[in-house]
Amino acid sequence: MQPNGKKPYQRMPLIVAGVFLGLGLGGFIDGILLHQILQWHHMLSSVRPLKSVSNIDLNMLWDGLFHALDWVFTVVGIVLLWRAGGRNDVPWSSQTFVGSLLIGVGLFDFVEGLIDHQILGIHHVKPGPNQLAWDLGFLVLGALLVLVGWMMLQNSKSEQELKLRGSRGE
């Protein structure tokens, strides 16, 4: 409790909701754009190339499981956002929310790129010539999104602290 009897603002519920939504959206962007529209790769396309019906079926199954995970992240994010919206101590801030979304999308890209592209090698962003450059670019994009999101969170935190001081007459 603050001296005036009011609860302090809690940004974390909005941040966690935004990160989970960002994880889900990042996965959907990857799956829809890279797997389905551009068809650059599928979940297991480096270990099970699309040269037989059984490999196509297996890749389609794993793409579906990948989308199911994206859906779970998105639903968790929506539930958390709904719960945060019902709290009086959670300040609504577009900058906080968008920053959190960017962190989630960036984390998705970075972790998925590190594990699937580099460690496991089950697929690459764009196989063939320059595949390492595409994979590294994907990692850099993820890290950059996390950094921009984190900077937005720091900026929104400073703005909220200034507003809080101003409302107290400090």
Side-chain angles (χ1 to χ4, degrees), residues 74-135:
T74 302
V75 168
V76 168
I78 290 169
V79 168
L80 292 172
L81 185 62
W82 182 268
R83 291 181 66 193
R87 292 179 54 170
N88 293 330
D89 63 335
V90 177
W92 286 99
S93 162
S94 295
Q95 191 161 332
T96 298
F97 185 62
V98 171
S100 301
L101 282 173
L102 290 176
I103 288 172
V105 172
L107 280 173
F108 178 88
D109 287 354
F110 189 81
V111 171
E112 194 268 339
L114 189 63
I115 293 172
D116 291 345
H117 306 165
Q118 302 306 309
I119 295 171
L120 298 177
I122 59 175
H123 68 258
H124 298 279
V125 174
K126 190 168 191 322
N130 304 314
Q131 85 180 14
L132 181 60
W134 283 99
D135 288 350

Side-chain angles (χ1 to χ4, degrees), residues 29 102 105-107 109-110 134-148:
I29 291 167
L102 290 176
V105 172
L107 280 173
D109 287 354
F110 189 81
W134 283 99
D135 288 350
L136 293 177
F138 195 74
L139 290 172
V140 169
L141 174 63
L144 185 61
L145 290 171
V146 169
L147 178 64
V148 170

Side-chain angles (χ1 to χ4, degrees), residues 23-24 27-28 63-75 108:
L23 288 167
F28 280 130
D63 282 354
L65 294 172
F66 173 77
H67 279 102
L69 177 64
D70 302 335
W71 182 82
V72 168
F73 282 142
T74 302
V75 168
F108 178 88

Side-chain angles (χ1 to χ4, degrees), residues 20-99:
F20 268 96
L21 277 169
L23 288 167
L25 293 173
F28 280 130
I29 291 167
D30 180 305
I32 292 168
L33 182 64
L34 300 179
H35 295 217
Q36 294 173 324
I37 295 173
L38 297 174
Q39 298 181 20
W40 284 357
H41 68 260
H42 298 280
M43 278 307 294
L44 304 176
S45 55
S46 286
V47 293
R48 295 293 182 117
L50 306 177
K51 295 185 188 261
S52 69
V53 173
S54 63
N55 281 2
I56 292 169
D57 289 346
L58 184 64
N59 272 281
M60 189 175 286
L61 170 67
W62 278 93
D63 282 354
L65 294 172
F66 173 77
H67 279 102
L69 177 64
D70 302 335
W71 182 82
V72 168
F73 282 142
T74 302
V75 168
V76 168
I78 290 169
V79 168
L80 292 172
L81 185 62
W82 182 268
R83 291 181 66 193
R87 292 179 54 170
N88 293 330
D89 63 335
V90 177
W92 286 99
S93 162
S94 295
Q95 191 161 332
T96 298
F97 185 62
V98 171

Side-chain angles (χ1 to χ4, degrees), residues 153-169:
L153 288 182
Q154 296 309 307
N155 191 38
S156 70
K157 181 180 179 183
S158 298
E159 286 178 7
Q160 287 174 351
E161 287 171 352
L162 285 173
K163 284 181 188 176
L164 189 58
R165 284 189 206 132
S167 69
R168 288 190 206 149

